[in-house]
Amino acid sequence: MAVCIAVIAKENYPLYIRSVPTQNELKFHYTVHTSLDVVEEKISAVGKAMADQRELYLGLLYPTEDYKVYGYVTNSKVKFVIVVDSSNTSLRDNEIRSMFRKLHNSFTDVMCNPFYNPGDTIQSKAFDGMVSAMMVQAS
Amino acid sequence: MSVPDYMQCAEDHQTVLVVVQPVGIVPEDQFFRIYKRIASVAQVSIRDSQRNLYIRYRHHYLPENNDWGDFQTHRKVVGLICVTTCGSGKEWPQTSERFHGQKEVFGATLYDSRLLVFGLQGEIAEQQRTDVAFYPSYDDCPDVEKKVEDFVESIFIVLESKRLDRATDKSGDKIPLLCVPFEKKDFVGLDTDSRHYKKRCQGRMRKHVGDLCLQAGMLQDALVHYHMAVELLRSVNDFLWLGAALEGLCSASVIFHYPGGTAGKAAGRNPSAAQGQAADAGKRHRPGAQEVLIDPGALTTNGISADTSSEIGRAKNCLSPEDIIEKYKEAISYYGKYKNAGVIELEACVKAVRVLAIQKRAMEASEFLQNAVYINLGQLSEEEKIQRYSILSELYYLIGFHRKSAFFKRVAAMQCVAPTIPEPGWRACYKLLLETLPGYSLSLDPKDFSKGAHRGWAAVQMRLLHELVYASRRMGNPGLSVRHLSFLLQTMLDFLSDQEKKEVTQSLENYTSKCPGGMEVITLPDGLRLHPVPFTKLPIVRSVKLLDLPVSLRPHKQKGLMENSMSTKSPFIYSPIIMHNRGEERNKKIDFQWVQGDVCEVQLMVYNPMPFELRVENMGLLTSGVEFESLPAALSLPAESGLYPVTLVGVPRTAGNITVNGYHTSVFGVTSDCLLDSLTSVRTSGCLVEVIPSLPRLQLSTSLPRSAHPLQPSKEELSSSVSVQLFNGETQQLTITLENIGSEDLETLEITSKISNTKERLFGEFLIRLDFSGGENLLQDLMTVNGISVTGLPISSPLRQVLKPRAETRPPGSESSKTDYNHVKMLEAVMTFKYSGGAGKVEGYYRDLTLGLHVDVEPSVFFTRVSTLPATSTRQCHLLLDVFNSTEHELTVSAQNNQDLVLHASECQRMAIQVDKFDFDTLPQPDQETVRYTSLKLLEEERLHAQASMINSTLGITWDIISFAALINMQARLSSQTSLIMRG
């Protein structure tokens, strides 16, 4: 399962970022931050082809020595990034996709909350709980 | 081959390598001046042919790398230019020796060499030598470029001959096996006669010829040779050389497709060369193709047209842009098979990335770079690591991955100060860190953060700022670290935990103890300007409100002059259209005035967002418009305080319009100027106020204690008020002292009084007008009785004035006392001192000083019945008065020529007084002047009053409270009511 899950706003600042193990959070901040380069590149590449009907799932953004970074962009340009451990080979593309779908649904719920201000950091407990369920249980 | 050249690009394959080196003692700056001039000759058109030769100059080249020259000929040092200083003929042999020694280093591969001698004159310099050029000095060498061009041409001749030589080496002769350094031992004892071996030799040679063709400017030939080499080498699985052949093919194709070059702006190490290339880019458009078109015979003469099918066409030999990348990928995968070819692989990656950057295929480029990151070159020195990370950063930047670029730049910066380095390069680290800022979308200008909430990667940005602070501190520039730390505190305040806030402020205080932070712009050597960071969040200011002066000091405009000063903005007296929009709110003029020389106040509502007590020192106002002396305040705000009012004061020194622009503070040793314009969250009701010229200032003190008790109908604010409690008919002297404590002379003083809450008419307006000159304290004694009415007389006299107006008292309670003896009556009056002077008077301003007077009148002596009895004489009569003592004290009543009557508390006695009869008609009539100005009713009142006074003086009834006798002397007087009865 994921080691880090991040939601990034249209303007490319984080709305939500959570990782296990928590002690090295900054590393994941860097990982997710740099992955945005690839996300932007992919969006612009796809954008040229067909702006309306594009696949939200961006696939593997880039692999590092220890992790694989996957991306997903909603139609409103909100980005989801999931970092998984490279050693976890059992994880299939389909599972990643379903994780993103779940994340998207949950994010939609957050946006539907009339008390949530779009652009603020996400503090929803329901969202947090759903993310926790997708994370690797810290041993 | 251990040191990769990260600056390489695909078109470098067509260059020949020339090393320029100093020999002996050459001043570094002089050498680089000459080096630059030499390097400017980067491209030479060869006479008699349409070809161009490109030269790559290096002032430093490892002989070890030279050993790979057979593998890729552009790595081979073919030319050597030595620069030397030679003072005299004696030194010449030694210099010459050194030059030869230098030649030895690259000996095997050199085509030609030159020595440039500076400073030598005389007979040695006279001799004509092709390989040596003599110049009198570094400044006097006009034909260096020409010499270099000649030199390049001679290199070309050798190159061309080699090319022809190798190209015509037909299979008849035994082709030598070219190999790279690490291969040499592998081929020992190999069967040299096998078909396989021969093919390998052929393939490698083809590739080599291809390289030479490319260098010699024959692009099409090169392509053909490369294609053949690829075929040959693929068949024998000679992967390393196959890779090289493929790369050659790519390079040639890149040169064909992108004549502008792929180096872009990244060619930092050899800027002049790069510029030269760029400038000539248009000229050298497809040199190879041109040549083939113009001189097709050239192909047949060099003997390879037989084996290559030149008819296939140029376009077919040349790879398409997509194929270039495919072939690069293939080549790199082949290189990857050899551990020792790491540098080649890395360089190929870099070249491919540059090509992809031009093709704008960032995703694929990033894959190449990702691969390059993993190429292991064995033990790298720290400097090489830094170089590697910086170049990665640069390449990522090139393909538009700014975040990734920043990441690697930061890694490079950290590498500069790695603990393993004996002398950490904090300066370099700092410089690199600064370059990462855009990548983390961080601007060091606090203005960019003032708009709304901070949006960014706070955790990452904070880390970077911390590193900047640390690096600048280690650089020995505490001013910088204070600036960065202030910035961190100001912009990241919302993201700092309580613990971090404490730490950051603590270290900030530490730094500022050595170097206080200020508001000046810090300019770094490389031109970056660090803007000052005002602490607008320490404390946070919520609202700014300019306060009016206290009531007694408020200036008023003379009525008559008011009309003139009315603003004539609009021709309409009233217009429903509001002239100001909201933006002007701040600049709106406030409708009160401040006075020059008087302390003015501005109230700020502040709060402290820190989890600890915040000490703000030297907090004052920033103003413009008039000269303003700000009186700074120091405050201490408790942790996480709520809104807290702070009053900042100052004194305007000149008159005019003053604008409060902001405030300045000093927190943690950092002084900041916070301008309201940049603070959008601050509420203000206007910051512009008029300062009028100075006015005198009167201070009022009374002999009676001041009372906090306000007058009942508080229609107007009073500067001070006094309250006394009196018995009906009691006289109390009140001394009012006025002191001019201002700096201006008091020129006019007008005193008026009015009774505020009694329905009874008051007699005679109280009016005193005094003219003073001289700045001495004004002391004025005024006596007022019961606060009823005082008739004043105008007195004009210099200096100290003692004024004792005649006082008249009228027991006011008499009417009501008939029904209720115990009624306590309350009287209130206001005395107004209107004064002016100095420059303010010229402008028509004056000030009001008001004194409220509150008197509680207690009933004392009442005449419950009045009757008369005829006396013995007809001119006299007996007046019988029933006197009632309503007080709780024993008192004595006495009348003129009568004995005292003792009255106990609440006792009623009759007293008889013998008086002369009189007629009211003898009273003086009011003069014409007064009649004209007063109404009939008033005249009647006046008359009654005069009659009462007359009765009073005739009877002269007084009373004393015995127990108070020592203290007060009271006078009882009859009312006019009584007197009327008496007359009747």
Side-chain angles (χ1 to χ4, degrees):
Chain A
M1 294 302 241
V3 289
C4 174
I5 290 177
V7 180
I8 292 132
K10 183 169 177 280
E11 293 85 6
N12 287 332
Y13 63 91
L15 293 175
Y16 180 92
I17 181 159
R18 201 158 137 218
S19 57
V20 284
T22 41
Q23 72 270 16
N24 205 353
E25 211 176 331
L26 191 66
K27 182 174 80 181
F28 289 110
H29 275 261
Y30 276 120
T31 311
V32 177
H33 181 247
T34 48
S35 74
L36 287 180
D37 278 329
V38 186
V39 172
E40 282 197 331
E41 184 58 38
K42 287 208 174 189
I43 295 174
S44 68
V46 172
K48 279 175 216 147
M50 37 179 180
D52 308 326
Q53 290 185 318
R54 68 184 162 79
E55 171 77 275
L56 301 179
Y57 177 61
L58 296 178
L60 180 66
L61 297 179
Y62 69 98
T64 69
E65 270 175 273
D66 307 321
Y67 303 105
K68 281 182 190 157
V69 186
Y70 293 90
Y72 183 95
V73 181
T74 70
N75 285 312
S76 53
K77 297 278 193 298
V78 172
K79 291 115 190 159
F80 300 135
V81 173
I82 291 181
V83 183
V84 296
D85 208 306
S86 286
S87 58
N88 192 347
T89 48
S90 62
L91 215 56
R92 311 218 173 249
D93 206 46
N94 257 347
E95 289 169 60
I96 302 278
R97 272 174 198 269
S98 78
M99 276 164 83
F100 274 124
R101 216 163 299 131
K102 266 204 269 177
L103 203 62
H104 196 165
N105 285 338
S106 195
F107 177 73
T108 314
D109 290 346
V110 171
M111 294 300 283
C112 290
N113 177 1
F115 298 103
Y116 174 75
N117 232 343
D120 287 357
T121 51
I122 296 170
Q123 276 153 339
S124 154
K125 273 187 190 147
F127 188 79
D128 207 48
M130 191 275 316
V131 167
S132 305
M134 292 200 299
M135 300 282 248
V136 172
Q137 298 312 308
S139 47
Chain B
M1 182 110 174
S2 63
V3 184
D5 177 4
Y6 295 102
M7 304 316 292
Q8 267 200 26
C9 39
E11 62 266 24
D12 281 346
H13 281 254
Q14 68 175 336
T15 61
V16 291
L17 184 63
V18 173
V19 171
V20 183
Q21 277 184 328
V23 169
I25 304 136
V26 177
E28 196 167 307
D29 54 332
Q30 298 289 9
F31 170 72
F32 279 101
R33 261 181 58 207
I34 297 297
Y35 177 77
K36 264 188 192 155
R37 290 184 61 182
I38 294 172
S40 66
V41 192
Q43 180 192 8
V44 175
S45 308
I46 306 305
R47 268 173 279 164
D48 310 329
S49 73
Q50 308 263 321
R51 288 185 263 170
N52 279 336
L53 195 61
Y54 298 95
I55 308 101
R56 200 157 54 110
Y57 296 95
R58 289 281 177 273
H59 52 83
H60 178 77
Y61 199 72
L62 284 179
E64 192 189 341
N65 284 6
N66 197 20
D67 295 341
W68 285 73
D70 281 339
F71 181 67
Q72 284 172 327
T73 50
H74 72 283
R75 297 179 190 280
K76 191 187 275 185
V77 181
V78 295
L80 176 71
I81 299 175
C82 283
V83 178
T84 189
T85 314
C86 193
S88 65
K90 264 186 263 171
E91 288 173 38
W92 171 244
Q94 197 192 348
T95 309
S96 188
E97 195 63 31
R98 281 205 195 120
F99 174 52
H100 287 291
Q102 202 66 41
K103 276 207 283 194
E104 291 297 302
V105 179
F106 303 107
T109 58
L110 284 185
Y111 294 172
D112 202 354
S113 59
R114 283 287 184 278
L115 177 65
L116 304 180
V117 184
F118 290 91
L120 193 70
Q121 277 167 318
E123 81 183 84
I124 301 165
E126 298 292 303
Q127 55 183 298
Q128 288 292 318
R129 286 183 57 170
T130 48
D131 61 336
V132 183
F134 296 97
Y135 297 103
S137 76
Y138 286 104
D139 301 313
D140 187 16
C141 46
D143 63 339
V144 167
E145 287 87 352
K146 183 80 194 63
K147 283 269 181 232
V148 175
E149 272 177 40
D150 291 345
F151 171 62
V152 170
E153 273 179 36
S154 86
I155 289 179
F156 176 75
I157 291 160
V158 182
L159 179 71
E160 185 67 4
S161 69
K162 286 221 178 214
R163 181 181 71 84
L164 291 172
D165 183 38
R166 292 283 158 84
T168 49
D169 255 349
K170 297 304 286 182
S171 45
D173 304 325
K174 195 165 182 181
I175 301 170
L177 178 73
L178 298 167
C179 52
V180 293
F182 71 87
E183 279 179 328
K184 284 198 171 105
K185 56 180 185 297
D186 299 345
F187 295 114
V188 177
L190 217 70
D191 178 13
T192 55
D193 287 332
S194 72
R195 221 179 122 72
H196 192 262
Y197 184 83
K198 268 186 192 158
K199 259 198 157 166
R200 180 185 290 230
C201 292
Q202 267 179 348
R204 289 186 178 191
M205 186 51 79
R206 274 279 172 230
K207 194 248 152 215
H208 184 69
V209 174
D211 280 354
L212 290 174
C213 287
L214 193 60
Q215 282 187 312
M218 302 178 65
L219 187 73
Q220 289 304 325
D221 286 24
L223 283 170
V224 172
H225 284 292
Y226 283 137
H227 271 296
M228 285 167 63
V230 169
E231 290 302 310
L232 284 165
L233 292 168
R234 211 189 280 282
S235 65
V236 292
N237 289 339
D238 190 359
F239 291 121
L240 185 63
W241 285 76
L242 175 56
L246 287 167
E247 201 194 335
L249 202 53
C250 294
S251 304
S253 307
V254 168
I255 292 162
F256 179 81
H257 283 293
Y258 310 106
T262 59
K265 57 182 176 180
R269 206 188 295 173
N270 218 341
S272 54
Q275 273 163 21
Q277 275 178 6
D280 297 333
K283 232 196 302 179
R284 63 167 188 169
H285 181 68
R286 296 181 195 180
Q290 237 172 8
E291 191 233 347
V292 175
L293 279 172
I294 290 161
D295 186 14
L299 271 176
T300 47
T301 49
N302 61 26
I304 45 165
S305 61
D307 340 51
T308 57
S309 38
S310 61
E311 306 82 41
I312 292 170
R314 295 164 287 279
K316 204 160 188 182
N317 284 335
C318 189
L319 297 173
S320 70
E322 287 73 34
D323 280 346
I324 292 174
I325 303 310
E326 281 308 307
K327 293 288 185 259
Y328 260 125
K329 260 184 204 158
E330 198 184 340
I332 288 163
S333 74
Y334 292 142
Y335 288 149
K337 291 182 196 289
Y338 299 88
K339 235 181 158 184
N340 293 314
V343 174
I344 304 288
E345 186 187 355
L346 189 59
E347 285 182 4
C349 283
V350 171
K351 288 175 219 171
V353 169
R354 289 193 206 279
V355 173
L356 280 165
I358 290 229
Q359 296 182 347
K360 306 227 181 304
R361 289 157 74 182
M363 278 313 298
E364 282 160 292
S366 80
E367 278 163 34
F368 274 101
L369 276 175
Q370 190 79 41
N371 181 45
V373 174
Y374 294 132
I375 296 170
N376 185 12
L377 294 182
Q379 278 298 326
L380 283 177
S381 75
E382 300 295 340
E383 200 191 324
E384 283 163 342
K385 278 188 202 162
I386 297 165
Q387 203 190 4
R388 186 166 173 179
Y389 292 131
S390 337
I391 209 73
L392 278 170
S393 146
E394 219 166 83
L395 290 172
Y396 270 118
Y397 191 84
L398 204 62
I399 59 171
F401 282 24
H402 297 238
R403 297 179 185 87
K404 198 91 179 169
S405 163
F407 177 82
F408 276 106
K409 195 144 258 173
R410 194 189 141 267
V411 173
M414 289 299 106
Q415 200 66 49
C416 288
V417 293
T420 48
I421 294 182
E423 275 179 37
W426 289 105
R427 221 161 263 284
C429 168
Y430 181 77
K431 197 171 162 291
L432 287 170
L433 283 176
L434 278 185
E435 287 168 17
T436 66
L437 290 172
Y440 290 111
S441 41
L442 196 60
S443 144
L444 287 183
D445 191 346
K447 283 194 194 79
D448 299 345
F449 284 87
S450 54
K451 308 162 199 119
H454 176 66
R455 302 257 151 114
W457 290 79
V460 176
Q461 291 173 337
M462 243 153 58
R463 178 63 171 264
L464 179 63
L465 284 173
H466 271 298
E467 282 161 354
L468 274 175
V469 170
Y470 192 69
S472 55
R473 189 172 73 88
R474 295 297 298 264
M475 255 164 70
N477 194 338
L480 267 185
S481 37
V482 167
R483 180 57 49 86
H484 288 311
L485 206 52
S486 317
F487 184 82
L488 172 70
L489 199 57
Q490 165 73 18
T491 57
M492 301 288 165
L493 194 65
D494 301 343
F495 302 98
L496 291 166
S497 70
D498 284 1
Q499 184 60 33
E500 282 170 322
K501 280 180 190 166
K502 251 174 228 169
E503 283 166 10
V504 168
T505 50
Q506 227 155 42
S507 48
L508 184 59
E509 273 174 311
N510 274 342
Y511 293 157
T512 50
S513 63
K514 284 170 235 146
C515 174
M519 283 303 290
E520 69 284 356
V521 173
I522 298 178
T523 307
L524 295 178
D526 55 350
L528 187 76
R529 290 156 64 81
L530 292 180
H531 290 275
V533 184
F535 279 148
T536 54
K537 284 184 180 168
L538 297 171
I540 297 174
V541 174
R542 275 276 170 267
S543 72
V544 174
K545 191 178 161 204
L546 276 66
L547 298 182
D548 199 355
L549 292 170
V551 182
S552 63
L553 295 175
R554 263 174 223 171
H556 304 274
K557 188 92 175 166
Q558 295 282 8
K559 282 274 157 33
L561 295 158
M562 199 64 127
E563 273 92 2
N564 302 343
S565 67
M566 278 266 267
S567 63
T568 48
K569 247 186 191 170
S570 157
F572 303 108
I573 296 165
Y574 168 77
S575 162
I577 301 158
I578 298 154
M579 297 298 282
H580 306 280
N581 58 29
R582 297 186 95 200
E584 283 172 27
E585 199 91 324
R586 217 178 272 269
N587 301 321
K588 205 174 68 187
K589 198 162 170 179
I590 304 174
D591 60 352
F592 56 75
Q593 290 98 22
W594 280 353
V595 180
Q596 174 192 345
D598 278 3
V599 173
C600 304
E601 296 177 323
V602 173
Q603 193 179 52
L604 308 179
M605 296 304 280
V606 302
Y607 79 86
N608 170 18
M610 299 302 251
F612 47 83
E613 194 184 331
L614 184 68
R615 285 201 54 79
V616 184
E617 274 150 32
N618 198 24
M619 190 163 186
L621 293 170
L622 295 172
T623 58
S624 66
V626 305
E627 209 177 296
F628 188 80
E629 185 191 340
S630 176
L631 308 170
L635 49 135
S636 171
L637 298 170
E640 311 267 7
S641 70
L643 275 184
Y644 205 85
V646 172
T647 308
L648 298 179
V649 296
V651 181
R653 288 294 174 208
T654 55
N657 281 332
I658 188 169
T659 313
V660 175
N661 295 326
Y663 59 95
H664 62 85
T665 57
S666 174
V667 187
F668 308 124
V670 178
T671 56
S672 17
D673 292 348
C674 310
L675 296 178
L676 296 179
D677 287 344
S678 56
L679 297 173
T680 45
S681 60
V682 173
R683 281 200 316 273
T684 166
S685 51
C687 293
L688 182 70
V689 76
E690 189 187 352
V691 177
I692 62 152
S694 55
L695 284 170
R697 227 169 111 186
L698 282 188
Q699 196 182 44
L700 181 144
S701 54
T702 56
S703 59
L704 288 172
R706 299 201 165 195
S707 71
H709 179 60
L711 292 193
Q712 270 182 343
S714 50
K715 276 175 283 180
E716 51 197 317
E717 297 174 84
L718 295 170
S719 351
S720 59
S721 64
V722 163
S723 86
V724 280
Q725 199 173 24
L726 293 176
F727 286 110
N728 202 347
E730 185 181 348
T731 307
Q732 172 89 43
Q733 184 162 330
L734 173 67
T735 311
I736 300 168
T737 313
L738 294 174
E739 195 183 340
N740 185 1
I741 53 168
S743 53
E744 290 293 322
D745 292 348
L746 184 77
E747 287 165 29
T748 61
L749 177 69
E750 225 176 85
I751 302 173
T752 52
S753 78
K754 67 170 190 207
I755 295 168
S756 56
N757 75 330
T758 172
K759 288 181 189 78
E760 288 177 59
R761 274 285 312 134
L762 63 129
F763 294 96
E765 283 297 327
F766 165 102
L767 181 80
I768 301 167
R769 193 184 290 272
L770 290 170
D771 286 301
F772 288 96
S773 54
E776 275 92 343
N777 289 346
L778 163 73
L779 191 74
Q780 189 177 16
D781 296 347
L782 291 168
M783 198 186 75
T784 171
V785 192
N786 261 7
I788 307 297
S789 65
V790 181
T791 9
L793 65 157
I795 293 174
S796 174
S797 152
L799 304 177
R800 205 182 126 99
Q801 293 296 323
V802 179
L803 180 73
K804 285 202 190 243
R806 190 162 50 86
E808 295 254 346
T809 313
R810 202 171 134 250
S814 52
E815 229 171 333
S816 55
S817 62
K818 280 175 187 158
T819 47
D820 179 13
Y821 295 134
N822 290 323
H823 178 71
V824 175
K825 186 124 181 155
M826 200 167 63
L827 281 173
E828 282 175 355
V830 177
M831 289 186 77
T832 310
F833 302 86
K834 191 166 150 187
Y835 63 95
S836 185
K841 182 174 182 285
V842 178
E843 296 274 308
Y845 287 98
Y846 65 90
R847 270 175 169 159
D848 271 344
L849 193 61
T850 49
L851 173 69
L853 209 53
H854 177 96
V855 185
D856 289 322
V857 186
E858 285 187 58
S860 56
V861 178
F862 290 102
F863 302 100
T864 51
R865 238 181 79 191
V866 180
S867 58
T868 49
L869 278 179
T872 47
S873 160
T874 48
R875 289 184 53 230
Q876 285 187 319
C877 70
H878 285 285
L879 191 62
L880 297 181
L881 301 165
D882 287 353
V883 191
F884 174 69
N885 175 14
S886 64
T887 65
E888 289 164 359
H889 309 278
E890 192 180 284
L891 53 78
T892 59
V893 182
S894 63
Q896 217 163 12
N897 57 54
N898 213 337
Q899 80 277 26
D900 290 359
L901 181 73
V902 179
L903 273 177
H904 298 284
S906 310
E907 195 182 14
C908 188
Q909 282 198 32
R910 174 164 297 189
M911 74 184 286
I913 313 162
Q914 191 174 8
V915 289
D916 291 347
K917 286 184 178 174
F918 62 90
D919 197 349
F920 286 133
D921 299 342
T922 56
L923 282 173
Q925 288 300 311
D927 55 0
Q928 291 300 313
E929 193 83 350
T930 8
V931 171
R932 212 186 313 151
Y933 287 109
T934 47
S935 69
L936 204 69
K937 198 181 171 215
L938 202 67
L939 268 173
E940 177 65 17
E941 293 252 13
E942 199 88 4
R943 201 173 54 80
L944 285 177
H945 180 64
Q947 288 170 356
S949 326
M950 188 163 164
I951 296 164
N952 275 338
S953 59
T954 317
L955 295 180
I957 302 170
T958 59
W959 54 267
D960 278 289
I961 291 175
I962 298 153
S963 53
F964 294 169
L967 301 167
I968 339 161
N969 177 34
M970 297 173 221
Q971 244 186 335
R973 283 160 203 268
L974 285 165
S975 67
S976 54
Q977 198 83 31
T978 349
S979 67
L980 280 174
I981 297 164
M982 192 175 89
R983 200 173 60 152

